[in-house]
Amino acid sequence: MPTVENSAPVLAIDGPSGTGKGTIAGRVAGHLGWHTLDSGALYRAIAYVAVENDITPDDTLELENLTRTIAVEFVHTADGLNIWLDGRDITDHVRSESGGKRASIYAKIPVVRDGLLSRQRQMRTAPGLVADGRDMGTVVFPDAFLKVFLDASASVRAHRRYNQLKAKGFDVKLRALEREIADRDAQDRSRTVSPLIPAGDAIVLDTSEKGIGQVFAEVRKLVEDRLASGQDYLGQV
Ligand code: C5P
């Protein structure tokens, strides 16, 4: 029998950085009145706390403990999702590109990924969840009713991230960012646990030549068509 957590439908949106996943996930969730899961923010928060507490990537016992106990909270604001930890707003520390690089290093570790699985699945509550990340469709929610994999050329993604980080007040250089994003993506794609790849049943959308409004319209249409097709979307996890 499906439980409360796994009975809600999930839309999985995966892809590399700079494809607009977070923005699309937020817009689609707003449109549907569903919850969101920004799984990258979880990895960013874990990595931030690990480094702050001198927990190295090979210290699996400490990492397992940290992943189980970390009290991270997400607060929706006009500027996006803010990340709070033990009463401290750590958003600026984790949203930088160095925060992404740090997250990618700790995201390779199996105890970290295993520890975050149940935390992510618990966020699957009615009326539905829009989850974005790298392994939403392949590992965390393999029974998602729709899996979208957003992609774009490396240079388009670097420009988008550059504009996004600049707008948030970060001091960034385009060339350095291009290299950092390429390294992070290579690391995410080549790791042995939950590598960044589209699920076999994902719909891949190349957003290189598309504005955010067009991508939103396409994803919304995919969602509406799938929901209207009347299949049973109860989870099987
Ligand atoms: O999505 P975002 O750029 O915030 O993710 C930061 C990093 O966290 C990614 O580069 C990736 O290494 C890791 N991540 C992951 N699995 C997810 C989400 C993020 O490994 N589902």
Side-chain angles (χ1 to χ4, degrees), residues 39-48 50-51 55-58 63 67 99-116 120 133-136 139-140 184 187-196:
S39 59
L42 281 175
Y43 287 96
R44 286 170 183 261
I46 298 268
Y48 171 72
V51 169
I55 304 175
T56 53
D58 58 356
L63 282 174
T67 309
K101 181 176 179 181
R102 196 168 50 203
S104 179
I105 292 168
Y106 284 86
K108 286 194 290 192
I109 302 161
V111 291
V112 171
R113 302 204 77 85
D114 288 349
L116 286 182
Q120 293 174 92
R134 306 292 185 287
D135 61 343
M136 299 296 99
V139 176
V140 183
R184 178 149 69 96
Q187 182 157 245
D188 290 347
R189 287 182 210 272
S190 64
R191 68 185 174 213
T192 44
V193 279
S194 305
L196 168 63

mmCIF file of all heavy atoms in Angstrom, residues 39-48 50-51 55-58 63 67 99-116 120 133-136 139-140 184 187-196:
data_model
loop_
_atom_site.group_PDB
_atom_site.id
_atom_site.type_symbol
_atom_site.label_atom_id
_atom_site.label_comp_id
_atom_site.label_asym_id
_atom_site.label_seq_id
_atom_site.Cartn_x
_atom_site.Cartn_y
_atom_site.Cartn_z
ATOM 1 N N SER A 39 17.311 19.748 -4.218
ATOM 2 C CA SER A 39 18.228 18.765 -3.598
ATOM 3 C C SER A 39 19.674 19.274 -3.579
ATOM 4 O O SER A 39 20.446 18.938 -2.684
ATOM 5 C CB SER A 39 18.144 17.419 -4.309
ATOM 6 O OG SER A 39 18.480 17.557 -5.666
ATOM 7 N N GLY A 40 20.038 20.127 -4.540
ATOM 8 C CA GLY A 40 21.393 20.679 -4.551
ATOM 9 C C GLY A 40 21.674 21.474 -3.283
ATOM 10 O O GLY A 40 22.793 21.470 -2.761
ATOM 11 N N ALA A 41 20.638 22.158 -2.777
ATOM 12 C CA ALA A 41 20.830 22.955 -1.563
ATOM 13 C C ALA A 41 21.181 22.057 -0.375
ATOM 14 O O ALA A 41 21.946 22.452 0.507
ATOM 15 C CB ALA A 41 19.569 23.763 -1.268
ATOM 16 N N LEU A 42 20.644 20.846 -0.358
ATOM 17 C CA LEU A 42 20.976 19.903 0.727
ATOM 18 C C LEU A 42 22.456 19.525 0.662
ATOM 19 O O LEU A 42 23.162 19.520 1.673
ATOM 20 C CB LEU A 42 20.136 18.628 0.599
ATOM 21 C CG LEU A 42 18.701 18.672 1.090
ATOM 22 C CD1 LEU A 42 18.001 17.361 0.756
ATOM 23 C CD2 LEU A 42 18.654 18.919 2.594
ATOM 24 N N TYR A 43 22.921 19.209 -0.558
ATOM 25 C CA TYR A 43 24.338 18.845 -0.716
ATOM 26 C C TYR A 43 25.243 20.038 -0.402
ATOM 27 O O TYR A 43 26.304 19.891 0.210
ATOM 28 C CB TYR A 43 24.607 18.307 -2.131
ATOM 29 C CG TYR A 43 24.033 16.921 -2.308
ATOM 30 C CD1 TYR A 43 22.784 16.730 -2.888
ATOM 31 C CD2 TYR A 43 24.717 15.809 -1.835
ATOM 32 C CE1 TYR A 43 22.240 15.468 -3.013
ATOM 33 C CE2 TYR A 43 24.174 14.534 -1.959
ATOM 34 C CZ TYR A 43 22.930 14.377 -2.545
ATOM 35 O OH TYR A 43 22.392 13.112 -2.652
ATOM 36 N N ARG A 44 24.806 21.224 -0.794
ATOM 37 C CA ARG A 44 25.606 22.421 -0.505
ATOM 38 C C ARG A 44 25.698 22.650 1.005
ATOM 39 O O ARG A 44 26.762 22.994 1.538
ATOM 40 C CB ARG A 44 24.983 23.649 -1.189
ATOM 41 C CG ARG A 44 25.209 23.688 -2.690
ATOM 42 C CD ARG A 44 24.392 24.771 -3.363
ATOM 43 N NE ARG A 44 24.554 24.757 -4.803
ATOM 44 C CZ ARG A 44 25.364 25.563 -5.492
ATOM 45 N NH1 ARG A 44 26.049 26.495 -4.864
ATOM 46 N NH2 ARG A 44 25.476 25.459 -6.795
ATOM 47 N N ALA A 45 24.578 22.462 1.710
ATOM 48 C CA ALA A 45 24.569 22.696 3.162
ATOM 49 C C ALA A 45 25.438 21.672 3.899
ATOM 50 O O ALA A 45 26.226 22.021 4.774
ATOM 51 C CB ALA A 45 23.125 22.647 3.681
ATOM 52 N N ILE A 46 25.319 20.398 3.505
ATOM 53 C CA ILE A 46 26.124 19.343 4.147
ATOM 54 C C ILE A 46 27.613 19.648 3.967
ATOM 55 O O ILE A 46 28.406 19.580 4.911
ATOM 56 C CB ILE A 46 25.854 17.960 3.488
ATOM 57 C CG1 ILE A 46 24.413 17.547 3.658
ATOM 58 C CG2 ILE A 46 26.850 16.904 3.962
ATOM 59 C CD1 ILE A 46 24.099 16.722 4.853
ATOM 60 N N ALA A 47 27.990 19.995 2.735
ATOM 61 C CA ALA A 47 29.409 20.247 2.443
ATOM 62 C C ALA A 47 29.911 21.458 3.225
ATOM 63 O O ALA A 47 31.030 21.462 3.747
ATOM 64 C CB ALA A 47 29.598 20.458 0.949
ATOM 65 N N TYR A 48 29.071 22.473 3.336
ATOM 66 C CA TYR A 48 29.460 23.678 4.076
ATOM 67 C C TYR A 48 29.744 23.336 5.539
ATOM 68 O O TYR A 48 30.778 23.713 6.096
ATOM 69 C CB TYR A 48 28.350 24.730 3.974
ATOM 70 C CG TYR A 48 28.566 25.922 4.865
ATOM 71 C CD1 TYR A 48 29.550 26.854 4.558
ATOM 72 C CD2 TYR A 48 27.803 26.101 6.007
ATOM 73 C CE1 TYR A 48 29.768 27.948 5.377
ATOM 74 C CE2 TYR A 48 28.010 27.192 6.833
ATOM 75 C CZ TYR A 48 28.992 28.114 6.521
ATOM 76 O OH TYR A 48 29.207 29.186 7.336
ATOM 77 N N ALA A 50 30.369 20.389 6.802
ATOM 78 C CA ALA A 50 31.494 19.453 6.908
ATOM 79 C C ALA A 50 32.817 20.224 6.918
ATOM 80 O O ALA A 50 33.668 20.023 7.789
ATOM 81 C CB ALA A 50 31.457 18.459 5.752
ATOM 82 N N VAL A 51 32.961 21.148 5.978
ATOM 83 C CA VAL A 51 34.221 21.914 5.897
ATOM 84 C C VAL A 51 34.394 22.788 7.146
ATOM 85 O O VAL A 51 35.467 22.866 7.725
ATOM 86 C CB VAL A 51 34.256 22.765 4.601
ATOM 87 C CG1 VAL A 51 35.404 23.757 4.611
ATOM 88 C CG2 VAL A 51 34.355 21.848 3.378
ATOM 89 N N ILE A 55 35.473 18.170 8.787
ATOM 90 C CA ILE A 55 35.148 16.770 8.470
ATOM 91 C C ILE A 55 35.565 16.533 7.015
ATOM 92 O O ILE A 55 34.982 17.119 6.092
ATOM 93 C CB ILE A 55 33.639 16.480 8.653
ATOM 94 C CG1 ILE A 55 33.194 16.848 10.072
ATOM 95 C CG2 ILE A 55 33.346 15.013 8.354
ATOM 96 C CD1 ILE A 55 31.699 16.713 10.316
ATOM 97 N N THR A 56 36.583 15.721 6.827
ATOM 98 C CA THR A 56 37.115 15.506 5.475
ATOM 99 C C THR A 56 36.273 14.454 4.739
ATOM 100 O O THR A 56 35.578 13.643 5.376
ATOM 101 C CB THR A 56 38.590 15.053 5.549
ATOM 102 O OG1 THR A 56 38.654 13.931 6.428
ATOM 103 C CG2 THR A 56 39.488 16.157 6.064
ATOM 104 N N PRO A 57 36.355 14.422 3.392
ATOM 105 C CA PRO A 57 35.537 13.475 2.636
ATOM 106 C C PRO A 57 35.778 12.003 2.999
ATOM 107 O O PRO A 57 34.903 11.170 2.782
ATOM 108 C CB PRO A 57 35.937 13.748 1.186
ATOM 109 C CG PRO A 57 36.373 15.169 1.186
ATOM 110 C CD PRO A 57 37.047 15.378 2.503
ATOM 111 N N ASP A 58 36.946 11.691 3.577
ATOM 112 C CA ASP A 58 37.188 10.271 3.931
ATOM 113 C C ASP A 58 36.692 9.916 5.329
ATOM 114 O O ASP A 58 36.758 8.760 5.748
ATOM 115 C CB ASP A 58 38.678 9.921 3.767
ATOM 116 C CG ASP A 58 39.577 10.809 4.611
ATOM 117 O OD1 ASP A 58 39.036 11.740 5.267
ATOM 118 O OD2 ASP A 58 40.794 10.583 4.619
ATOM 119 N N LEU A 63 30.608 11.879 8.633
ATOM 120 C CA LEU A 63 29.712 12.342 7.563
ATOM 121 C C LEU A 63 28.336 11.687 7.674
ATOM 122 O O LEU A 63 27.312 12.320 7.456
ATOM 123 C CB LEU A 63 30.314 12.053 6.187
ATOM 124 C CG LEU A 63 31.399 13.015 5.741
ATOM 125 C CD1 LEU A 63 32.025 12.546 4.447
ATOM 126 C CD2 LEU A 63 30.809 14.421 5.557
ATOM 127 N N THR A 67 25.018 13.848 8.207
ATOM 128 C CA THR A 67 23.908 13.766 7.245
ATOM 129 C C THR A 67 22.599 13.422 7.953
ATOM 130 O O THR A 67 21.533 13.910 7.589
ATOM 131 C CB THR A 67 24.224 12.701 6.171
ATOM 132 O OG1 THR A 67 25.515 12.970 5.657
ATOM 133 C CG2 THR A 67 23.246 12.741 5.039
ATOM 134 N N GLY A 99 30.831 27.129 -3.308
ATOM 135 C CA GLY A 99 29.893 26.277 -2.551
ATOM 136 C C GLY A 99 29.427 25.099 -3.386
ATOM 137 O O GLY A 99 29.228 23.994 -2.879
ATOM 138 N N GLY A 100 29.269 25.325 -4.706
ATOM 139 C CA GLY A 100 28.867 24.250 -5.619
ATOM 140 C C GLY A 100 29.982 23.225 -5.775
ATOM 141 O O GLY A 100 29.742 22.012 -5.796
ATOM 142 N N LYS A 101 31.211 23.717 -5.858
ATOM 143 C CA LYS A 101 32.363 22.834 -6.029
ATOM 144 C C LYS A 101 32.536 21.935 -4.791
ATOM 145 O O LYS A 101 32.730 20.726 -4.895
ATOM 146 C CB LYS A 101 33.605 23.720 -6.200
ATOM 147 C CG LYS A 101 34.883 22.984 -6.416
ATOM 148 C CD LYS A 101 35.985 23.990 -6.676
ATOM 149 C CE LYS A 101 37.316 23.296 -6.872
ATOM 150 N NZ LYS A 101 38.388 24.258 -7.108
ATOM 151 N N ARG A 102 32.391 22.572 -3.631
ATOM 152 C CA ARG A 102 32.492 21.843 -2.347
ATOM 153 C C ARG A 102 31.383 20.784 -2.287
ATOM 154 O O ARG A 102 31.620 19.641 -1.906
ATOM 155 C CB ARG A 102 32.285 22.902 -1.262
ATOM 156 C CG ARG A 102 32.676 22.557 0.111
ATOM 157 C CD ARG A 102 32.680 23.824 0.957
ATOM 158 N NE ARG A 102 31.443 24.606 0.838
ATOM 159 C CZ ARG A 102 31.338 25.906 1.085
ATOM 160 N NH1 ARG A 102 32.391 26.599 1.430
ATOM 161 N NH2 ARG A 102 30.192 26.532 0.977
ATOM 162 N N ALA A 103 30.171 21.166 -2.708
ATOM 163 C CA ALA A 103 29.041 20.222 -2.671
ATOM 164 C C ALA A 103 29.332 19.018 -3.560
ATOM 165 O O ALA A 103 29.069 17.864 -3.191
ATOM 166 C CB ALA A 103 27.764 20.918 -3.141
ATOM 167 N N SER A 104 29.909 19.269 -4.732
ATOM 168 C CA SER A 104 30.171 18.195 -5.686
ATOM 169 C C SER A 104 31.186 17.197 -5.122
ATOM 170 O O SER A 104 31.104 15.991 -5.393
ATOM 171 C CB SER A 104 30.678 18.835 -6.989
ATOM 172 O OG SER A 104 30.979 17.869 -7.931
ATOM 173 N N ILE A 105 32.121 17.682 -4.314
ATOM 174 C CA ILE A 105 33.123 16.785 -3.710
ATOM 175 C C ILE A 105 32.450 15.859 -2.686
ATOM 176 O O ILE A 105 32.649 14.648 -2.692
ATOM 177 C CB ILE A 105 34.252 17.617 -3.050
ATOM 178 C CG1 ILE A 105 35.051 18.334 -4.147
ATOM 179 C CG2 ILE A 105 35.154 16.738 -2.174
ATOM 180 C CD1 ILE A 105 36.001 19.399 -3.634
ATOM 181 N N TYR A 106 31.601 16.433 -1.831
ATOM 182 C CA TYR A 106 30.955 15.607 -0.799
ATOM 183 C C TYR A 106 29.801 14.766 -1.373
ATOM 184 O O TYR A 106 29.450 13.729 -0.812
ATOM 185 C CB TYR A 106 30.478 16.490 0.363
ATOM 186 C CG TYR A 106 31.633 16.913 1.246
ATOM 187 C CD1 TYR A 106 32.397 18.037 0.946
ATOM 188 C CD2 TYR A 106 31.999 16.157 2.362
ATOM 189 C CE1 TYR A 106 33.478 18.413 1.721
ATOM 190 C CE2 TYR A 106 33.090 16.527 3.151
ATOM 191 C CZ TYR A 106 33.819 17.655 2.826
ATOM 192 O OH TYR A 106 34.898 18.012 3.603
ATOM 193 N N ALA A 107 29.244 15.216 -2.512
ATOM 194 C CA ALA A 107 28.119 14.476 -3.112
ATOM 195 C C ALA A 107 28.554 13.150 -3.723
ATOM 196 O O ALA A 107 27.724 12.328 -4.096
ATOM 197 C CB ALA A 107 27.444 15.347 -4.180
ATOM 198 N N LYS A 108 29.877 12.937 -3.824
ATOM 199 C CA LYS A 108 30.375 11.667 -4.394
ATOM 200 C C LYS A 108 30.375 10.554 -3.362
ATOM 201 O O LYS A 108 30.608 9.402 -3.694
ATOM 202 C CB LYS A 108 31.841 11.851 -4.840
ATOM 203 C CG LYS A 108 32.026 12.652 -6.073
ATOM 204 C CD LYS A 108 33.421 12.510 -6.633
ATOM 205 C CE LYS A 108 34.462 13.190 -5.771
ATOM 206 N NZ LYS A 108 35.774 13.326 -6.392
ATOM 207 N N ILE A 109 30.159 10.923 -2.100
ATOM 208 C CA ILE A 109 30.376 9.957 -1.022
ATOM 209 C C ILE A 109 29.090 9.167 -0.727
ATOM 210 O O ILE A 109 28.048 9.753 -0.400
ATOM 211 C CB ILE A 109 30.884 10.708 0.225
ATOM 212 C CG1 ILE A 109 32.178 11.441 -0.173
ATOM 213 C CG2 ILE A 109 31.116 9.776 1.392
ATOM 214 C CD1 ILE A 109 32.568 12.537 0.738
ATOM 215 N N PRO A 110 29.162 7.833 -0.840
ATOM 216 C CA PRO A 110 27.939 7.035 -0.696
ATOM 217 C C PRO A 110 27.185 7.269 0.621
ATOM 218 O O PRO A 110 25.955 7.358 0.600
ATOM 219 C CB PRO A 110 28.452 5.589 -0.805
ATOM 220 C CG PRO A 110 29.688 5.689 -1.641
ATOM 221 C CD PRO A 110 30.313 7.000 -1.281
ATOM 222 N N VAL A 111 27.872 7.426 1.773
ATOM 223 C CA VAL A 111 27.107 7.613 3.023
ATOM 224 C C VAL A 111 26.325 8.928 3.009
ATOM 225 O O VAL A 111 25.263 9.025 3.631
ATOM 226 C CB VAL A 111 27.969 7.547 4.325
ATOM 227 C CG1 VAL A 111 28.492 6.157 4.575
ATOM 228 C CG2 VAL A 111 29.055 8.596 4.355
ATOM 229 N N VAL A 112 26.856 9.917 2.320
ATOM 230 C CA VAL A 112 26.140 11.195 2.242
ATOM 231 C C VAL A 112 24.878 11.005 1.389
ATOM 232 O O VAL A 112 23.768 11.388 1.773
ATOM 233 C CB VAL A 112 27.054 12.299 1.647
ATOM 234 C CG1 VAL A 112 26.265 13.566 1.358
ATOM 235 C CG2 VAL A 112 28.218 12.591 2.590
ATOM 236 N N ARG A 113 25.034 10.355 0.245
ATOM 237 C CA ARG A 113 23.880 10.163 -0.638
ATOM 238 C C ARG A 113 22.823 9.269 0.021
ATOM 239 O O ARG A 113 21.641 9.570 -0.005
ATOM 240 C CB ARG A 113 24.308 9.560 -1.987
ATOM 241 C CG ARG A 113 25.324 10.384 -2.735
ATOM 242 C CD ARG A 113 25.281 10.111 -4.213
ATOM 243 N NE ARG A 113 24.145 10.791 -4.841
ATOM 244 C CZ ARG A 113 24.160 12.057 -5.252
ATOM 245 N NH1 ARG A 113 25.244 12.789 -5.163
ATOM 246 N NH2 ARG A 113 23.080 12.590 -5.787
ATOM 247 N N ASP A 114 23.297 8.165 0.647
ATOM 248 C CA ASP A 114 22.339 7.252 1.300
ATOM 249 C C ASP A 114 21.595 7.982 2.421
ATOM 250 O O ASP A 114 20.395 7.836 2.586
ATOM 251 C CB ASP A 114 23.070 6.045 1.906
ATOM 252 C CG ASP A 114 23.571 5.113 0.824
ATOM 253 O OD1 ASP A 114 23.170 5.304 -0.340
ATOM 254 O OD2 ASP A 114 24.371 4.214 1.140
ATOM 255 N N GLY A 115 22.363 8.779 3.185
ATOM 256 C CA GLY A 115 21.760 9.483 4.327
ATOM 257 C C GLY A 115 20.714 10.486 3.882
ATOM 258 O O GLY A 115 19.763 10.766 4.609
ATOM 259 N N LEU A 116 20.884 11.034 2.696
ATOM 260 C CA LEU A 116 19.928 12.058 2.238
ATOM 261 C C LEU A 116 18.701 11.467 1.547
ATOM 262 O O LEU A 116 17.718 12.162 1.323
ATOM 263 C CB LEU A 116 20.623 13.037 1.291
ATOM 264 C CG LEU A 116 21.580 14.031 1.956
ATOM 265 C CD1 LEU A 116 22.164 14.978 0.913
ATOM 266 C CD2 LEU A 116 20.864 14.851 3.035
ATOM 267 N N GLN A 120 14.970 13.229 1.516
ATOM 268 C CA GLN A 120 14.384 13.751 0.271
ATOM 269 C C GLN A 120 13.016 13.110 0.014
ATOM 270 O O GLN A 120 12.067 13.784 -0.367
ATOM 271 C CB GLN A 120 15.326 13.477 -0.903
ATOM 272 C CG GLN A 120 16.623 14.257 -0.797
ATOM 273 C CD GLN A 120 17.617 13.873 -1.888
ATOM 274 O OE1 GLN A 120 17.657 14.488 -2.944
ATOM 275 N NE2 GLN A 120 18.413 12.857 -1.637
ATOM 276 N N GLY A 133 17.462 18.348 -9.335
ATOM 277 C CA GLY A 133 18.795 17.922 -8.919
ATOM 278 C C GLY A 133 19.529 17.206 -10.021
ATOM 279 O O GLY A 133 19.517 17.627 -11.188
ATOM 280 N N ARG A 134 20.222 16.120 -9.637
ATOM 281 C CA ARG A 134 20.996 15.341 -10.607
ATOM 282 C C ARG A 134 20.475 13.910 -10.728
ATOM 283 O O ARG A 134 20.640 13.280 -11.754
ATOM 284 C CB ARG A 134 22.485 15.269 -10.182
ATOM 285 C CG ARG A 134 23.171 16.598 -9.934
ATOM 286 C CD ARG A 134 23.314 17.369 -11.215
ATOM 287 N NE ARG A 134 24.082 18.617 -11.061
ATOM 288 C CZ ARG A 134 23.643 19.713 -10.470
ATOM 289 N NH1 ARG A 134 22.427 19.736 -9.965
ATOM 290 N NH2 ARG A 134 24.391 20.788 -10.408
ATOM 291 N N ASP A 135 19.874 13.403 -9.646
ATOM 292 C CA ASP A 135 19.459 11.990 -9.615
ATOM 293 C C ASP A 135 18.010 11.835 -9.157
ATOM 294 O O ASP A 135 17.639 10.818 -8.602
ATOM 295 C CB ASP A 135 20.374 11.196 -8.667
ATOM 296 C CG ASP A 135 20.300 11.714 -7.232
ATOM 297 O OD1 ASP A 135 19.816 12.849 -7.013
ATOM 298 O OD2 ASP A 135 20.714 10.984 -6.326
ATOM 299 N N MET A 136 17.193 12.872 -9.379
ATOM 300 C CA MET A 136 15.800 12.789 -8.944
ATOM 301 C C MET A 136 15.072 11.678 -9.701
ATOM 302 O O MET A 136 14.346 10.879 -9.112
ATOM 303 C CB MET A 136 15.077 14.140 -9.158
ATOM 304 C CG MET A 136 15.665 15.300 -8.377
ATOM 305 S SD MET A 136 15.541 15.101 -6.597
ATOM 306 C CE MET A 136 17.157 14.505 -6.189
ATOM 307 N N VAL A 139 17.360 7.885 -9.214
ATOM 308 C CA VAL A 139 17.565 7.211 -7.924
ATOM 309 C C VAL A 139 16.521 7.576 -6.860
ATOM 310 O O VAL A 139 15.943 6.711 -6.218
ATOM 311 C CB VAL A 139 18.984 7.533 -7.371
ATOM 312 C CG1 VAL A 139 19.194 6.927 -5.993
ATOM 313 C CG2 VAL A 139 20.058 7.059 -8.336
ATOM 314 N N VAL A 140 16.300 8.865 -6.664
ATOM 315 C CA VAL A 140 15.480 9.277 -5.516
ATOM 316 C C VAL A 140 13.992 9.019 -5.779
ATOM 317 O O VAL A 140 13.294 8.468 -4.924
ATOM 318 C CB VAL A 140 15.744 10.760 -5.151
ATOM 319 C CG1 VAL A 140 14.948 11.148 -3.901
ATOM 320 C CG2 VAL A 140 17.235 10.992 -4.903
ATOM 321 N N ARG A 184 33.072 20.816 -12.378
ATOM 322 C CA ARG A 184 32.008 20.291 -11.498
ATOM 323 C C ARG A 184 31.122 19.308 -12.263
ATOM 324 O O ARG A 184 30.791 18.235 -11.774
ATOM 325 C CB ARG A 184 31.183 21.456 -10.938
ATOM 326 C CG ARG A 184 30.036 21.030 -10.062
ATOM 327 C CD ARG A 184 29.748 22.046 -8.989
ATOM 328 N NE ARG A 184 29.186 23.301 -9.454
ATOM 329 C CZ ARG A 184 27.887 23.578 -9.466
ATOM 330 N NH1 ARG A 184 27.018 22.685 -9.045
ATOM 331 N NH2 ARG A 184 27.446 24.754 -9.861
ATOM 332 N N GLN A 187 32.895 16.063 -12.843
ATOM 333 C CA GLN A 187 32.911 15.296 -11.587
ATOM 334 C C GLN A 187 31.533 14.653 -11.327
ATOM 335 O O GLN A 187 31.438 13.487 -10.955
ATOM 336 C CB GLN A 187 33.273 16.243 -10.449
ATOM 337 C CG GLN A 187 33.372 15.594 -9.113
ATOM 338 C CD GLN A 187 34.264 16.416 -8.170
ATOM 339 O OE1 GLN A 187 35.318 15.967 -7.769
ATOM 340 N NE2 GLN A 187 33.820 17.607 -7.834
ATOM 341 N N ASP A 188 30.459 15.409 -11.563
ATOM 342 C CA ASP A 188 29.103 14.888 -11.331
ATOM 343 C C ASP A 188 28.750 13.768 -12.322
ATOM 344 O O ASP A 188 28.074 12.806 -11.969
ATOM 345 C CB ASP A 188 28.057 16.008 -11.446
ATOM 346 C CG ASP A 188 28.123 17.006 -10.287
ATOM 347 O OD1 ASP A 188 28.795 16.706 -9.288
ATOM 348 O OD2 ASP A 188 27.501 18.082 -10.399
ATOM 349 N N ARG A 189 29.243 13.920 -13.556
ATOM 350 C CA ARG A 189 28.897 12.912 -14.576
ATOM 351 C C ARG A 189 29.694 11.623 -14.414
ATOM 352 O O ARG A 189 29.234 10.552 -14.784
ATOM 353 C CB ARG A 189 29.174 13.460 -15.987
ATOM 354 C CG ARG A 189 28.190 14.513 -16.450
ATOM 355 C CD ARG A 189 28.523 14.938 -17.875
ATOM 356 N NE ARG A 189 28.157 16.314 -18.146
ATOM 357 C CZ ARG A 189 26.957 16.696 -18.577
ATOM 358 N NH1 ARG A 189 26.025 15.820 -18.777
ATOM 359 N NH2 ARG A 189 26.704 17.971 -18.808
ATOM 360 N N SER A 190 30.915 11.739 -13.879
ATOM 361 C CA SER A 190 31.801 10.567 -13.871
ATOM 362 C C SER A 190 31.806 9.800 -12.549
ATOM 363 O O SER A 190 32.448 8.766 -12.449
ATOM 364 C CB SER A 190 33.233 11.001 -14.193
ATOM 365 O OG SER A 190 33.681 11.857 -13.164
ATOM 366 N N ARG A 191 31.108 10.289 -11.532
ATOM 367 C CA ARG A 191 31.169 9.589 -10.247
ATOM 368 C C ARG A 191 30.459 8.238 -10.347
ATOM 369 O O ARG A 191 29.568 8.050 -11.199
ATOM 370 C CB ARG A 191 30.573 10.459 -9.132
ATOM 371 C CG ARG A 191 29.100 10.666 -9.257
ATOM 372 C CD ARG A 191 28.568 11.634 -8.197
ATOM 373 N NE ARG A 191 27.178 11.924 -8.435
ATOM 374 C CZ ARG A 191 26.574 13.078 -8.177
ATOM 375 N NH1 ARG A 191 27.256 14.083 -7.652
ATOM 376 N NH2 ARG A 191 25.300 13.240 -8.427
ATOM 377 N N THR A 192 30.844 7.322 -9.444
ATOM 378 C CA THR A 192 30.262 5.980 -9.554
ATOM 379 C C THR A 192 28.859 5.916 -8.940
ATOM 380 O O THR A 192 28.011 5.182 -9.434
ATOM 381 C CB THR A 192 31.164 4.927 -8.884
ATOM 382 O OG1 THR A 192 31.611 5.452 -7.644
ATOM 383 C CG2 THR A 192 32.333 4.556 -9.748
ATOM 384 N N VAL A 193 28.597 6.698 -7.876
ATOM 385 C CA VAL A 193 27.242 6.675 -7.300
ATOM 386 C C VAL A 193 26.394 7.805 -7.876
ATOM 387 O O VAL A 193 26.822 8.955 -7.918
ATOM 388 C CB VAL A 193 27.243 6.810 -5.740
ATOM 389 C CG1 VAL A 193 27.529 5.492 -5.079
ATOM 390 C CG2 VAL A 193 28.197 7.883 -5.280
ATOM 391 N N SER A 194 25.201 7.460 -8.306
ATOM 392 C CA SER A 194 24.234 8.434 -8.828
ATOM 393 C C SER A 194 24.852 9.469 -9.769
ATOM 394 O O SER A 194 24.728 10.669 -9.540
ATOM 395 C CB SER A 194 23.571 9.187 -7.667
ATOM 396 O OG SER A 194 23.002 8.311 -6.754
ATOM 397 N N PRO A 195 25.512 9.020 -10.839
ATOM 398 C CA PRO A 195 26.082 10.015 -11.759
ATOM 399 C C PRO A 195 24.986 10.825 -12.450
ATOM 400 O O PRO A 195 23.829 10.397 -12.505
ATOM 401 C CB PRO A 195 26.842 9.154 -12.772
ATOM 402 C CG PRO A 195 26.185 7.828 -12.723
ATOM 403 C CD PRO A 195 25.680 7.648 -11.326
ATOM 404 N N LEU A 196 25.401 11.999 -12.925
ATOM 405 C CA LEU A 196 24.464 12.859 -13.648
ATOM 406 C C LEU A 196 24.232 12.296 -15.046
ATOM 407 O O LEU A 196 25.069 12.457 -15.936
ATOM 408 C CB LEU A 196 25.066 14.277 -13.738
ATOM 409 C CG LEU A 196 24.401 15.263 -14.694
ATOM 410 C CD1 LEU A 196 22.969 15.557 -14.270
ATOM 411 C CD2 LEU A 196 25.208 16.554 -14.756
#
